[in-house]
Amino acid sequence: AVVSTQSTGEDKVRTEAYRDYIYNNKAIFDGKDVLDVGCGTGILSMFCAVGGAGSVVAVDNSKIVQKAKSIVKSNNLSSKINVFEGKVEEISLDRKFDILISEWMGYGLLFECMLDSIIIARDKYLKQGGHVVPNRASMFITAVSDEASYHKRFSYWNNVYGFSMSEIIPDLYNEAVVEVVGKDHIISNHCGFKHLDISTVKVSELEFSRPFQLEINTSTTLTSLLVHFTCFFDGEFSTVLETSPESPTTHWLQTSLYLKCPVAVCEGDVISGLIEFNKNSNVKRGYIIRLDGVVKRENSEIAKFDQQFYLH
């Protein structure tokens, strides 16, 4: 937990997106009551307090709240920020709030299912017309060619110190891999397949099947499809938090879905299909991602794939 908190705190891109939005939107935050869900060390709460909020209630379901209370006190913000330990779905707060802020995003956006808690808190505690920060999120898929990473991940098991361990390989194909993917490995457009309005989205909408279409822009080998996301902070001063390979790396990295059979592709080839996200009933806060698609060249099918990946 300490390592996880540290990596979040050290994520310059993420932290500054929130900070810049709060500090540059005085009209939204000035004098307002703020609820910070999953507050961690309290950094967002302190940004809000310094940025003009009238009061902040910070909630986290872990022992980190004891550190958060000490941090808030040492920064002389105890008069504005109250920190509570517990699940936001279960605790009882005596008022509603103008703003709900949270860093709820997980790998592939939805891993950890924290957005479920945000939706419950929003419906229970946000005033009519209140702000959710961030207020929108979009998910994207793109095509990747990285033969070196592909062979490193799978071929290694064919000869481990002279022993074949190839029985491991089929399980590896079912794993969604959270990793950094270099922008030079992107070989198609980015297709947005799911757009969430955090002010109105329902829990039932967090499981879905959506179409996508990608056009290959070079002749190479297709080794995987990749999922990344963007969060939007709308206001007079708007900010965007991106996790694509073309953007500065964040602690969310990217989510790679390796194909069992790489495909030789040419510029102009089209990948089309469905991407499906479902909660994993066997793994708490996990997701199962399914890809079902075809690769076509001048309307002729050259390859197809139908795979399931576990994000846990």
Side-chain angles (χ1 to χ4, degrees):
V2 173
V3 174
S4 175
T5 302
Q6 183 180 28
S7 66
T8 304
E10 290 178 350
D11 190 342
K12 190 171 186 285
V13 178
R14 166 263 187 193
T15 305
E16 293 184 1
Y18 281 88
R19 181 202 65 187
D20 293 348
Y21 181 77
I22 294 165
Y23 286 0
N24 289 288
N25 283 289
K26 294 288 186 183
I28 293 177
F29 287 87
D30 196 33
K32 297 299 195 297
D33 295 326
V34 179
L35 175 61
D36 179 4
V37 179
C39 66
T41 57
I43 184 70
L44 300 188
S45 292
M46 292 188 289
F47 283 154
C48 291
V50 172
S55 68
V56 182
V57 170
V59 180
D60 202 297
N61 187 36
S62 75
K63 297 301 179 183
I64 192 69
V65 298
Q66 302 307 321
K67 293 293 184 184
K69 289 178 180 178
S70 298
I71 291 168
V72 167
K73 184 177 181 180
S74 67
N75 284 278
N76 300 311
L77 291 171
S78 296
S79 62
K80 278 196 170 185
I81 302 173
N82 288 306
V83 185
F84 296 93
E85 180 180 349
K87 293 182 178 180
V88 72
E89 301 95 327
E90 297 175 357
I91 63 172
S92 180
L93 302 174
D94 59 2
R95 56 192 163 119
K96 294 201 170 186
F97 298 84
D98 303 291
I99 298 167
L100 190 162
I101 193 167
S102 178
E103 190 273 281
W104 53 265
M105 300 81 79
Y107 299 129
L109 186 66
L110 297 178
F111 173 66
E112 294 183 330
C113 299
M114 189 174 169
L115 183 52
D116 298 48
S117 299
I118 301 305
I119 293 170
I120 293 170
R122 179 200 68 197
D123 293 347
K124 189 174 181 180
Y125 290 118
L126 190 66
K127 293 179 182 176
Q128 186 74 27
H131 291 271
V132 182
V133 181
N135 62 298
R136 292 187 292 125
S138 292
M139 303 171 74
F140 299 87
I141 188 169
T142 190
V144 172
S145 177
D146 188 347
E147 292 182 80
S149 293
Y150 191 95
H151 289 298
K152 182 179 179 181
R153 178 164 179 78
F154 300 106
S155 299
Y156 166 81
W157 297 100
N158 288 320
N159 186 343
V160 182
Y161 296 98
F163 300 100
S164 171
M165 297 189 180
S166 57
E167 287 78 5
I168 300 290
I169 296 175
D171 292 335
L172 296 179
Y173 283 119
N174 294 329
E175 296 292 331
V177 182
V178 177
E179 62 184 354
V180 174
V181 177
K183 62 182 180 181
D184 294 340
H185 295 294
I186 300 303
I187 60 169
S188 76
N189 59 304
H190 302 265
C191 178
F193 63 86
K194 183 69 174 179
H195 306 285
L196 302 172
D197 181 341
I198 313 305
S199 299
T200 59
V201 66
K202 300 178 176 64
V203 171
S204 60
E205 295 174 51
L206 304 184
E207 295 185 277
F208 53 85
S209 178
R210 300 289 296 164
F212 68 90
Q213 182 167 297
L214 304 170
E215 183 171 338
I216 300 297
N217 57 30
T218 187
S219 295
T220 185
T221 301
L222 169 69
T223 55
S224 64
L225 297 177
L226 175 147
V227 173
H228 62 88
F229 65 87
T230 299
C231 288
F232 301 87
F233 302 68
D234 295 327
E236 186 175 339
F237 176 90
S238 297
T239 60
V240 175
L241 177 56
E242 298 183 270
T243 66
S244 79
E246 287 94 347
S247 303
T249 302
T250 69
H251 76 271
W252 291 286
L253 311 181
Q254 289 90 38
T255 302
S256 294
L257 310 173
Y258 283 95
L259 300 180
K260 291 180 180 178
C261 298
V263 182
V265 291
C266 295
E267 182 178 358
D269 288 354
V270 174
I271 308 170
S272 60
L274 295 174
I275 182 167
E276 188 175 296
F277 272 67
N278 287 299
K279 293 172 183 174
N280 189 342
S281 59
N282 296 319
V283 178
K284 185 180 180 182
R285 304 195 298 179
Y287 262 83
I288 299 173
I289 304 171
R290 184 183 173 196
L291 282 177
D292 184 3
V294 297
V295 184
K296 289 186 176 182
R297 181 173 302 152
E298 298 177 349
N299 295 320
S300 296
E301 182 181 303
I302 62 171
K304 63 170 55 177
F305 50 86
D306 184 356
Q307 287 181 234
Q308 186 168 275
F309 305 86
Y310 295 94
L311 182 57
H312 53 74

